[in-house]
Amino acid sequence: MKNFDIKKRIPGSELSALNRIVRAFHKNNYECFLIGGSVRDLIMNRKCSDYDFATDAPPEVIMKLFRRTVPTGIKHGTVTVLTDGMAVEVTTYRADGKYIDGRRPESVAFSKSLKEDVLRRDFTINGLAYDLINDEVIDYVNGIDDIEREIIRTIGEPVSRFSEDGLRTYRACRFASNLGFAIEENTFRAITETLDVAKKVSAERIRDELKKILETEKPSVGFEFLRKSGLLKQVLPELDRCYGVMQNKFHIYDIYYHSLYSCDAAPADKPLIRLAALLHDIGKAATKRMGNNGDYTFYNHEVTGAKITRAIMKRLKFSNDDIGKVNNLVINHMFHYTEEWTDGAVRRFMRKVGVENLDDIFLLRLADRKGNGSRNGLPEPIKRLKKRIDKIIEEENAISLKDLDINGNIVMERYGLKPGPVIGKILNELLEAVLDDPEKNEREILLALADQIIERIQG
Ligand code: ATP
Ligand code: MG
């Protein structure tokens, strides 16, 4: 068996903790192997985010062997061992029973055999075990070959493996995107043949896989696998629909590829901006019209797009915070800055987007440009807009209602008003005045202005 210098790839402090765990099992006559994604990542010399072990010891024994444990997935035989500042998952060998709902095994049977445990896993590259004590990789499924050939292949017959658990089809696309691997021909065909099983996977699990694709270096790779297999049409029909929809003379790509390349160009560590980039033009297919000049227009596509974005994210059970954030980026992505903007206009823009979202809207604009084939960064005028914004933030001028040197209570008291829409109207008018001239943000001046507004409303 090949030696991959795996030990040298594990940081020293972690290695000694892992060795201690394995020895505790051995001392009690149990087996314990590093397994799955961690072995794959170590062989590929990629950063290994978490270590998983497999053992023939039953869960209650695992919990007795270590002082600090958490029964994280006890029904499936998973116990988390806390040691030396690490949290390591240890799972009892399993031989999964029959699957009934295309998602979860009907029953979990523990097994005494590592091989049996490997055979229930999803892909050959995820089916490797590593014996830390003897420094040996155990490969029952030709996983090493597939890592070297850069191929995702199911362990066993793909249609039946995907029929057991539809989530695996999304995982195949995700691993292909993350590792830059191809999906083996039969495995890929089987995704298309089992689409009705994938349909049954819960929205939350699909969302988590999509998020993971958004965090890969090139999400476009993952989305292309989703599209070509038919999964995209099922899970994001709105995006699938953009495929082949050409734009106008300003664009070299169709809407679909422009969306994918914009997504690639957004920062990998900001999945919500990646998602906003993927969806920013999602309203274009529905708003495409032939303009007077003989070319296509997409008026108000950002408004339609924000609505579609909201519906997609709701369907996929994203949190309200995430929905609000992405929706805001999509609806505001079309700003057209010119040097003629007054300071008031800049402040209004800041208020509309939200000061906390300004960096993100510029990152989105940059991604949008790159996704259109531009190799340049932001154009000069936008860089100047950023400078003007920075200056305004530095001077701490009023931007939102809560920054006004006055509030609803003061207004109500002064005019003997009860809470109601008129208070909001007054405050918003005051804010407009302050946005145009920040010097007006002083209580005395605002009250004088409020007097005029009241007179006008009540007059
Ligand atoms: P990463 O953590 O980098 O996303 P991973 O391979 O570690 O990748 P996990 O979801 O952490 O993936 O799962 C750990 C291991 O459990 C996998 O490597 C695989 O062997 C097995 N596994 C996970 N999900 C499934 C599944 N749906 N069907 C079969 N085996 C699975
Ligand atoms: Mg993992």
Side-chain angles (χ1 to χ4, degrees):
M1 194 62 61
K2 279 188 195 164
N3 185 322
F4 293 92
D5 273 343
I6 287 187
K7 275 205 174 150
K8 287 196 196 133
R9 294 174 183 174
I10 303 175
S13 59
E14 294 180 2
L15 181 62
S16 48
L18 299 181
N19 273 324
R20 265 196 296 282
I21 293 177
V22 174
R23 271 193 231 107
F25 283 99
H26 285 196
K27 242 186 9 218
N28 290 276
N29 293 320
Y30 288 107
E31 299 176 354
C32 182
F33 298 97
L34 205 58
I35 195 101
S38 39
V39 184
R40 177 199 69 219
D41 288 341
L42 286 165
I43 288 179
M44 291 181 68
N45 210 1
R46 289 167 63 94
K47 205 184 155 311
C48 178
S49 44
D50 40 26
Y51 299 101
D52 296 319
F53 281 110
T55 177
D56 56 347
E60 57 279 8
V61 171
I62 306 175
M63 297 190 64
K64 271 192 206 130
L65 285 181
F66 301 93
R67 208 147 28 110
R68 290 167 61 219
T69 59
V70 186
T72 28
I74 198 81
K75 264 206 338 237
H76 302 105
T78 302
V79 172
T80 300
V81 174
L82 303 166
T83 174
D84 304 270
M86 292 167 71
V88 178
E89 285 199 350
V90 185
T91 305
T92 307
Y93 295 158
R94 272 163 42 184
D96 285 343
K98 268 213 343 255
Y99 288 71
I100 42 166
D101 59 358
R103 179 61 205 105
R104 242 167 267 104
E106 188 179 4
S107 59
V108 175
F110 295 134
S111 165
K112 279 278 154 200
S113 143
L114 170 68
K115 186 168 180 184
E116 202 166 15
D117 183 75
V118 163
L119 294 181
R120 68 149 179 107
R121 292 173 183 271
D122 50 4
F123 303 109
T124 58
I125 59 165
N126 291 345
L128 296 159
Y130 175 63
D131 177 346
L132 265 165
I133 306 296
N134 296 312
D135 188 20
E136 189 183 21
V137 177
I138 300 154
D139 182 5
Y140 292 117
V141 291
N142 286 330
I144 293 174
D145 280 356
D146 283 344
I147 289 180
E148 283 173 348
R149 280 186 240 143
E150 310 198 331
I151 283 174
I152 314 281
R153 182 200 312 266
T154 53
I155 295 175
E157 206 284 306
V159 170
S160 59
R161 298 310 313 279
F162 289 149
S163 301
E164 288 170 359
D165 177 2
L167 187 71
R168 292 173 187 157
T169 58
Y170 295 97
R171 285 172 60 86
C173 299
R174 192 248 295 181
F175 285 120
S177 193
N178 191 25
L179 307 172
F181 282 18
I183 301 178
E184 182 272 330
E185 208 177 308
N186 290 320
T187 300
F188 188 69
R189 199 172 328 111
I191 299 180
T192 310
E193 287 169 26
T194 56
L195 286 175
D196 52 332
V197 188
K199 217 177 221 161
K200 294 186 207 153
V201 177
S202 76
E204 290 87 345
R205 319 258 338 202
I206 296 176
R207 174 202 63 207
D208 290 346
E209 287 303 319
L210 292 179
K211 269 190 178 168
K212 285 182 185 169
I213 291 179
L214 289 172
E215 283 168 342
T216 63
E217 196 185 320
K218 269 191 168 183
S220 60
V221 173
F223 285 105
E224 275 292 80
F225 280 116
L226 292 176
R227 181 183 64 81
K228 289 181 183 158
S229 64
L231 282 171
L232 192 69
K233 196 171 192 160
Q234 249 173 220
V235 68
L236 279 177
E238 300 89 344
L239 182 61
D240 191 74
R241 196 187 151 194
C242 296
Y243 179 76
V245 181
M246 293 312 292
Q247 307 197 60
N248 51 28
K249 61 173 186 257
F250 301 109
H251 296 269
I252 52 174
Y253 301 117
D254 68 8
I255 302 171
Y256 171 80
Y257 283 109
H258 169 60
S259 304
L260 258 57
Y261 298 148
S262 301
C263 181
D264 283 355
D269 59 347
K270 296 197 159 52
L272 291 180
I273 301 184
R274 277 252 168 112
L275 185 59
L278 185 74
L279 301 178
H280 76 285
D281 276 348
I282 200 82
K284 274 192 165 176
T287 55
K288 182 172 168 175
R289 304 277 181 277
M290 181 52 80
N292 293 333
N293 61 353
D295 207 350
Y296 291 109
T297 64
F298 304 91
Y299 289 123
N300 281 332
H301 73 268
E302 68 280 18
V303 179
T304 305
K307 274 190 205 137
I308 299 174
T309 297
R310 198 168 269 281
I312 291 173
M313 291 182 74
K314 253 190 134 134
R315 191 173 73 223
L316 289 170
K317 305 263 162 64
F318 277 86
S319 71
N320 287 337
D321 276 2
D322 287 357
I323 297 177
K325 168 130 203 158
V326 176
N327 182 67
N328 183 45
L329 291 174
V330 171
I331 206 163
N332 286 313
H333 85 270
M334 286 295 288
F335 66 94
H336 294 291
Y337 174 73
T338 63
E339 300 291 352
E340 284 88 62
W341 280 27
T342 60
D343 280 356
V346 175
R347 286 194 199 92
R348 256 182 287 278
F349 170 72
M350 293 168 69
R351 181 157 76 102
K352 194 158 155 253
V353 176
V355 173
E356 69 283 10
N357 301 313
L358 288 165
D359 286 340
D360 296 349
I361 202 89
F362 290 120
L363 286 171
L364 176 59
R365 172 60 61 91
L366 187 61
D368 187 359
R369 284 171 60 82
K370 286 188 181 160
N372 199 17
S374 160
R375 259 173 263 129
N376 306 323
L378 288 171
E380 284 308 314
I382 294 212
K383 286 188 190 154
R384 280 196 288 281
L385 169 62
K386 281 181 88 164
K387 286 222 175 82
R388 285 176 74 180
I389 287 174
D390 287 345
K391 190 158 161 265
I392 289 171
I393 292 174
E394 217 168 88
E395 288 168 358
E396 285 191 88
N397 291 333
I399 291 298
S400 72
L401 288 181
K402 66 176 188 324
D403 299 316
L404 286 178
D405 192 21
I406 197 172
N407 60 38
N409 287 333
I410 299 173
V411 173
M412 287 190 285
E413 215 165 277
R414 183 174 174 96
Y415 305 109
L417 293 169
K418 294 209 179 71
V422 77
I423 313 292
K425 195 167 162 3
I426 294 169
L427 290 175
N428 273 302
E429 267 198 49
L430 293 176
L431 178 60
E432 285 298 315
V434 172
L435 288 171
D436 282 326
D437 179 5
E439 309 238 310
K440 292 203 173 123
N441 195 15
E442 266 177 46
R443 177 114 11 130
E444 290 304 307
I445 301 175
L446 293 174
L447 287 174
L449 276 173
D451 289 349
Q452 292 171 18
I453 298 170
I454 278 283
E455 224 180 280
R456 206 184 60 232
I457 295 175
Q458 298 181 334

